[in-house]
Amino acid sequence: MGSTRSSSRPSVKRRLPQEFYLRDTKRVARDLLGKRLVRIHNNTRLAGIIVETEAYLGVKDPAAHTYGGRITERNKVMWGEGGSAYVYFVYGMHFCLNAVTRWAGQPEAVLIRAVQFTEGLDLIKNFREISEEKQLGNGPAKLCQALNITRNLNGVSLVQSDLFIEDGDLIRNSQIICRPRVGIDYAKEAKHWPLRFYIKNNEFISKK
DNA sequence: CTGGGGATCGAG
DNA sequence: TCGATCCCCAGG
């Protein structure tokens, strides 16, 4: 009514354009913090804030599936244009979701490692078969289970499909922690590279 | 064809 | 710390 504050102008959330994903992969990983990961499931909106990511830097990154220029059936989506989803199966039972970055032929990606869910919690709790909210998306395989993301979404466009990422709150640099990535002990010197990004003091990240 | 291992999770 | 569980993929 008589409000003179900025709340009278609602912030419009819009889907990130393909250009967002074509940029430097570390920048994309950092900039994805605070954005909203959204999945439309049977006309229901499931969504949450991305609070943790990791960058995978392609042919020169010993931790990446495309290290050394490998082209395989599994990793071929990473070789395509930025802006699509790379979903892979791991450890015999889990799926992980990446946003492919850069242009075709530069096979890099950002792993989404944790999401703070804010919409569609009933359905998400069903998929996860738990109700504790801090446990719903605090890991790359957990958030895939929460959104029912499996191999059939490998390769879909984040710019056009029912799986996408929206604008969100701006996260200041002072609120971002940068550390080595998780679960890549096999990756020689790259295991120390600071390519994991997460929001400081956030309760929904995968590890302390 | 084969077998070693994995961008994880949860129980003990 | 360890087992689950199975697909991937390099090597023969």
Side-chain angles (χ1 to χ4, degrees), chain A residues 13-79:
Chain A
K13 302 303 183 192
R14 60 173 237 280
R15 183 186 297 237
L16 300 179
Q18 181 167 38
E19 297 76 55
F20 178 91
Y21 300 100
L22 300 180
R23 300 173 304 142
D24 175 83
T25 300
K26 291 192 295 295
R27 285 300 309 179
V28 174
R30 180 244 172 273
D31 290 347
L32 279 175
L33 298 178
K35 302 290 191 290
R36 289 179 179 273
L37 177 64
V38 183
R39 164 103 154 108
I40 309 296
H41 185 274
N42 293 341
N43 293 318
T44 299
R45 221 179 112 97
L46 313 180
I49 302 162
I50 296 172
V51 298
E52 178 180 347
T53 61
E54 283 178 356
Y56 285 85
L57 303 183
V59 300
K60 63 187 187 305
D61 179 0
H65 291 162
T66 50
Y67 177 54
R70 289 190 300 261
I71 303 177
T72 68
E73 188 58 29
R74 178 177 64 163
N75 73 20
K76 65 182 180 187
V77 170
M78 280 185 73
W79 287 92

Side-chain angles (χ1 to χ4, degrees), chain A residues 118-134:
Chain A
T118 56
E119 300 175 57
L121 292 180
D122 288 347
L123 192 47
I124 285 171
K125 289 173 182 177
N126 258 345
F127 285 137
R128 286 282 289 125
E129 300 183 310
I130 62 166
S131 58
E132 193 188 344
E133 300 195 355
K134 284 180 187 169

Side-chain angles (χ1 to χ4, degrees), chain A residues 123-195:
Chain A
L123 192 47
I124 285 171
K125 289 173 182 177
N126 258 345
F127 285 137
R128 286 282 289 125
E129 300 183 310
I130 62 166
S131 58
E132 193 188 344
E133 300 195 355
K134 284 180 187 169
Q135 300 290 329
L136 293 176
N138 62 340
K142 293 179 185 179
L143 69 91
C144 282
Q145 184 182 36
L147 298 178
N148 195 32
I149 291 172
T150 61
R151 67 180 81 256
N152 64 323
L153 291 180
N154 185 37
V156 303
S157 169
L158 298 173
V159 181
Q160 307 199 68
S161 76
D162 284 344
L163 176 64
F164 55 95
I165 302 175
E166 285 180 342
D167 264 341
D169 296 331
L170 180 67
I171 309 295
R172 309 168 92 81
N173 284 332
S174 62
Q175 295 306 116
I176 294 178
I177 307 289
C178 184
R179 291 282 183 274
R181 293 170 292 183
V182 174
I184 55 159
D185 285 348
Y186 58 87
K188 302 176 285 187
E189 79 277 6
K191 88 186 233 186
H192 304 295
W193 296 356
L195 296 176

